[in-house]
Amino acid sequence: MGLLDHGDFQSELSAALGTPQSAGAPFAVFTIRLRRVRRIRLALGDAVADSLLLEAAFRLSTLIAGTSMAHLEGELFCFYRTQSGEDEARQFARELLAAFHTPLHTHGMDVVIGINVGVSIAQAGMNGAQALMRQSRCALDRAAAGGEYSMEIYTPRLQASAARRLTLEIALRQAIESNIGLSVHYQPKVGLTSRKLYGVEALCRWNCPPLGAVPADEFIPVAEESDLIEMLGWRVLDQVCQQLLGWGASGFVLPCVSINLSARQLSNSDLPSKILQCTSRHGLVPSLFEFEVTESAIVEDINVAATTLARFRSLGFRIALDDFGAAHSNLHYLRKLPLDSLKIDKQFVDDLSAEGKGEALCRAMFLMADMLKLPVIVEGIETEAQCATLSRLGFEWGQGYYFSAPLPSEALAQRWLTRR
Ligand code: C2E
Ligand code: MG
Ligand code: MG
């Protein structure tokens, strides 16, 4: 198995594109990223990681049989296929993903690694080798955002969205470093019938003068895919601590504030103690804080997540499982993770109006949480009818526009907090 370097591969690709046979024929360039190798390197050492890379490269070369392949850097590989239009390329990319569900064998271990595939397709006579490689790399970046086994084919729209992401990343970095434009809004979690306050969820807001108010759904993924989410997390925690002190000084009482944590934050095993240092510095007790984690944040390694979450709880913080049912709905998580509450995803509420099924699923969810003695907060309640149905099914707590949108701190205090 001969692996080319970046330069040699690009020259070979240029030559192949220039041959008379390829004029007008479709041509696909594939860039592959093997996932988890970096973590395996950290956990099991260089020898295991290197031999795993070799095994993976060998598997790839068998699949692409006969064509040249480049090892671009680290976990990145690249190859091309002639006579390959979009449909064929998509089918082949799927075969690659499927092939990596089978474990690789090294040092007496079976190891499963993830794989992302980015593909660019040559339009007749249009794209040079360099552009094709850049485009398939751009598609790869999008594929990586889709999970451990996903692929993407380059389109000009992808390029536009890659440019937007880059703009956002640069502006967000400035905002975080200067601490300008970031704020926190608070959404109450409320008793469906009692209207009692269970707590509030802190939700980050970003207003950036040239871009306007960027939705959290857009900038949080950008932060998560770069190294920004950790710094952003500290900014949010700091603002929340300041706010709790401010509310306290004005005589307002608050049962608990929830803060969202992303996967990358959770992978830092020092996180619980660092957060404790921060809350203690502000003179705030841990029981005031709950941390919301999503299923996708813990899916990478449930044992590591369970240990970190247990550490949070041993320090006196509370833990909520967010968006339950949105992705994997893995009941194993409920058994394995130390949790204080479960947040049921908005999609179940949206389905309530659908014939039969929505209500049956909510009822099942309620019974399951009730048996596990887990308090449940239903997310995304927008109408009185939804609130009434959920309350009839036995749910006690909810969150959603029907009660209140996320509010700036003053409005939240005015409408929802009581004074001592
Ligand atoms: P999430 O934690 O599930 O937060 C709930 C999201 O649903 C919020 O969106 C909230 O504004 C929205 N929402 C609440 N009630 C309703 C409703 O009745 N209808 C509808 N359609 N939406 C409702 P937001 O603020 O845009 O945040 C989106 C996501 O971004 C959050 O989902 C959370 O995962 C993430 N996020 C927000 N702030 C932070 C943060 O400080 N750190 C981290 N790591 N993630 C954050
Ligand atoms: Mg949340
Ligand atoms: Mg949620």
Side-chain angles (χ1 to χ4, degrees), residues 201 203 260 292 294 321-324 326 343-346 379-380 399:
E201 176 171 8
L203 293 158
N260 292 283
E292 296 192 3
T294 57
L321 187 59
D322 202 358
D323 303 343
F324 187 74
K343 296 187 73 180
I344 292 191
D345 191 69
K346 177 179 183 339
E379 298 188 86
Q399 182 180 359

mmCIF file of all heavy atoms in Angstrom, residues 201 203 260 292 294 321-324 326 343-346 379-380 399, ligand 3:
data_model
loop_
_atom_site.group_PDB
_atom_site.id
_atom_site.type_symbol
_atom_site.label_atom_id
_atom_site.label_comp_id
_atom_site.label_asym_id
_atom_site.label_seq_id
_atom_site.Cartn_x
_atom_site.Cartn_y
_atom_site.Cartn_z
ATOM 1 N N GLU A 201 -33.667 28.641 33.448
ATOM 2 C CA GLU A 201 -32.568 28.174 32.594
ATOM 3 C C GLU A 201 -31.847 29.382 32.019
ATOM 4 O O GLU A 201 -32.472 30.286 31.464
ATOM 5 C CB GLU A 201 -33.098 27.293 31.450
ATOM 6 C CG GLU A 201 -31.975 26.869 30.490
ATOM 7 C CD GLU A 201 -32.400 25.825 29.456
ATOM 8 O OE1 GLU A 201 -33.602 25.517 29.351
ATOM 9 O OE2 GLU A 201 -31.492 25.318 28.754
ATOM 10 N N LEU A 203 -29.749 31.077 29.228
ATOM 11 C CA LEU A 203 -29.526 30.858 27.793
ATOM 12 C C LEU A 203 -28.707 32.015 27.243
ATOM 13 O O LEU A 203 -29.068 33.184 27.416
ATOM 14 C CB LEU A 203 -30.863 30.734 27.061
ATOM 15 C CG LEU A 203 -31.654 29.466 27.445
ATOM 16 C CD1 LEU A 203 -33.136 29.611 27.156
ATOM 17 C CD2 LEU A 203 -31.086 28.242 26.711
ATOM 18 N N ASN A 260 -26.410 25.277 30.548
ATOM 19 C CA ASN A 260 -26.163 24.208 29.566
ATOM 20 C C ASN A 260 -24.667 23.919 29.430
ATOM 21 O O ASN A 260 -23.853 24.834 29.396
ATOM 22 C CB ASN A 260 -26.713 24.617 28.199
ATOM 23 C CG ASN A 260 -28.223 24.684 28.195
ATOM 24 O OD1 ASN A 260 -28.894 23.659 28.149
ATOM 25 N ND2 ASN A 260 -28.766 25.888 28.288
ATOM 26 N N GLU A 292 -27.232 21.306 32.641
ATOM 27 C CA GLU A 292 -28.009 20.537 31.670
ATOM 28 C C GLU A 292 -27.068 19.937 30.641
ATOM 29 O O GLU A 292 -26.280 20.655 30.018
ATOM 30 C CB GLU A 292 -29.027 21.441 30.960
ATOM 31 C CG GLU A 292 -30.074 21.997 31.909
ATOM 32 C CD GLU A 292 -31.253 22.666 31.186
ATOM 33 O OE1 GLU A 292 -31.291 22.642 29.933
ATOM 34 O OE2 GLU A 292 -32.126 23.196 31.889
ATOM 35 N N THR A 294 -26.890 17.163 27.237
ATOM 36 C CA THR A 294 -27.750 16.461 26.277
ATOM 37 C C THR A 294 -27.235 15.049 26.060
ATOM 38 O O THR A 294 -26.080 14.744 26.360
ATOM 39 C CB THR A 294 -27.754 17.174 24.910
ATOM 40 O OG1 THR A 294 -26.413 17.251 24.457
ATOM 41 C CG2 THR A 294 -28.347 18.554 25.006
ATOM 42 N N LEU A 321 -30.829 15.924 32.456
ATOM 43 C CA LEU A 321 -30.606 15.412 31.091
ATOM 44 C C LEU A 321 -31.548 16.187 30.166
ATOM 45 O O LEU A 321 -32.767 16.128 30.302
ATOM 46 C CB LEU A 321 -30.894 13.903 31.049
ATOM 47 C CG LEU A 321 -30.538 13.194 29.745
ATOM 48 C CD1 LEU A 321 -29.063 13.346 29.398
ATOM 49 C CD2 LEU A 321 -30.887 11.710 29.822
ATOM 50 N N ASP A 322 -30.947 16.948 29.236
ATOM 51 C CA ASP A 322 -31.682 17.885 28.370
ATOM 52 C C ASP A 322 -32.139 17.197 27.079
ATOM 53 O O ASP A 322 -31.514 16.234 26.644
ATOM 54 C CB ASP A 322 -30.720 19.040 28.016
ATOM 55 C CG ASP A 322 -31.444 20.301 27.596
ATOM 56 O OD1 ASP A 322 -32.688 20.298 27.541
ATOM 57 O OD2 ASP A 322 -30.757 21.312 27.337
ATOM 58 N N ASP A 323 -33.190 17.711 26.484
ATOM 59 C CA ASP A 323 -33.654 17.278 25.147
ATOM 60 C C ASP A 323 -33.860 15.766 25.070
ATOM 61 O O ASP A 323 -33.584 15.155 24.026
ATOM 62 C CB ASP A 323 -32.641 17.677 24.042
ATOM 63 C CG ASP A 323 -32.378 19.178 24.024
ATOM 64 O OD1 ASP A 323 -33.176 19.921 24.606
ATOM 65 O OD2 ASP A 323 -31.368 19.600 23.428
ATOM 66 N N PHE A 324 -34.309 15.144 26.151
ATOM 67 C CA PHE A 324 -34.454 13.690 26.131
ATOM 68 C C PHE A 324 -35.495 13.307 25.073
ATOM 69 O O PHE A 324 -36.584 13.861 25.026
ATOM 70 C CB PHE A 324 -34.852 13.134 27.500
ATOM 71 C CG PHE A 324 -34.847 11.634 27.523
ATOM 72 C CD1 PHE A 324 -33.645 10.939 27.545
ATOM 73 C CD2 PHE A 324 -36.025 10.905 27.472
ATOM 74 C CE1 PHE A 324 -33.613 9.547 27.522
ATOM 75 C CE2 PHE A 324 -36.010 9.515 27.451
ATOM 76 C CZ PHE A 324 -34.793 8.842 27.481
ATOM 77 N N ALA A 326 -34.882 13.591 21.831
ATOM 78 C CA ALA A 326 -34.605 14.270 20.554
ATOM 79 C C ALA A 326 -33.679 13.427 19.684
ATOM 80 O O ALA A 326 -33.773 13.455 18.474
ATOM 81 C CB ALA A 326 -33.968 15.630 20.800
ATOM 82 N N LYS A 343 -35.359 16.425 31.161
ATOM 83 C CA LYS A 343 -36.110 17.393 30.361
ATOM 84 C C LYS A 343 -36.566 16.719 29.073
ATOM 85 O O LYS A 343 -35.737 16.245 28.292
ATOM 86 C CB LYS A 343 -35.239 18.618 30.057
ATOM 87 C CG LYS A 343 -34.857 19.368 31.320
ATOM 88 C CD LYS A 343 -34.157 20.655 31.002
ATOM 89 C CE LYS A 343 -35.121 21.686 30.457
ATOM 90 N NZ LYS A 343 -34.412 22.965 30.150
ATOM 91 N N ILE A 344 -37.861 16.665 28.896
ATOM 92 C CA ILE A 344 -38.405 15.975 27.723
ATOM 93 C C ILE A 344 -38.468 16.943 26.556
ATOM 94 O O ILE A 344 -38.958 18.066 26.680
ATOM 95 C CB ILE A 344 -39.783 15.389 28.060
ATOM 96 C CG1 ILE A 344 -39.553 14.270 29.066
ATOM 97 C CG2 ILE A 344 -40.471 14.868 26.809
ATOM 98 C CD1 ILE A 344 -40.719 13.411 29.324
ATOM 99 N N ASP A 345 -37.950 16.492 25.421
ATOM 100 C CA ASP A 345 -37.784 17.371 24.265
ATOM 101 C C ASP A 345 -39.115 17.885 23.718
ATOM 102 O O ASP A 345 -40.138 17.201 23.748
ATOM 103 C CB ASP A 345 -37.042 16.622 23.158
ATOM 104 C CG ASP A 345 -36.603 17.565 22.059
ATOM 105 O OD1 ASP A 345 -35.709 18.384 22.327
ATOM 106 O OD2 ASP A 345 -37.179 17.514 20.957
ATOM 107 N N LYS A 346 -39.038 19.101 23.179
ATOM 108 C CA LYS A 346 -40.198 19.791 22.622
ATOM 109 C C LYS A 346 -40.951 18.964 21.578
ATOM 110 O O LYS A 346 -42.167 19.100 21.435
ATOM 111 C CB LYS A 346 -39.688 21.097 21.988
ATOM 112 C CG LYS A 346 -40.734 21.912 21.291
ATOM 113 C CD LYS A 346 -40.109 23.169 20.725
ATOM 114 C CE LYS A 346 -41.109 24.096 20.072
ATOM 115 N NZ LYS A 346 -42.372 23.542 19.647
ATOM 116 N N GLU A 379 -40.325 20.400 27.878
ATOM 117 C CA GLU A 379 -39.840 21.610 27.192
ATOM 118 C C GLU A 379 -40.766 22.028 26.051
ATOM 119 O O GLU A 379 -41.448 21.192 25.456
ATOM 120 C CB GLU A 379 -38.483 21.321 26.538
ATOM 121 C CG GLU A 379 -37.379 20.950 27.465
ATOM 122 C CD GLU A 379 -36.053 20.901 26.690
ATOM 123 O OE1 GLU A 379 -35.416 21.955 26.559
ATOM 124 O OE2 GLU A 379 -35.662 19.813 26.231
ATOM 125 N N GLY A 380 -40.764 23.310 25.758
ATOM 126 C CA GLY A 380 -41.405 23.807 24.535
ATOM 127 C C GLY A 380 -42.925 23.813 24.569
ATOM 128 O O GLY A 380 -43.570 23.582 23.542
ATOM 129 N N GLN A 399 -41.780 24.102 30.678
ATOM 130 C CA GLN A 399 -41.025 25.285 30.270
ATOM 131 C C GLN A 399 -41.466 25.578 28.842
ATOM 132 O O GLN A 399 -41.687 24.653 28.069
ATOM 133 C CB GLN A 399 -39.534 24.923 30.310
ATOM 134 C CG GLN A 399 -38.573 26.025 29.964
ATOM 135 C CD GLN A 399 -37.112 25.528 30.043
ATOM 136 O OE1 GLN A 399 -36.861 24.374 30.382
ATOM 137 N NE2 GLN A 399 -36.180 26.386 29.717
HETATM 138 MG MG MG B 3 -33.581 21.518 25.789
#
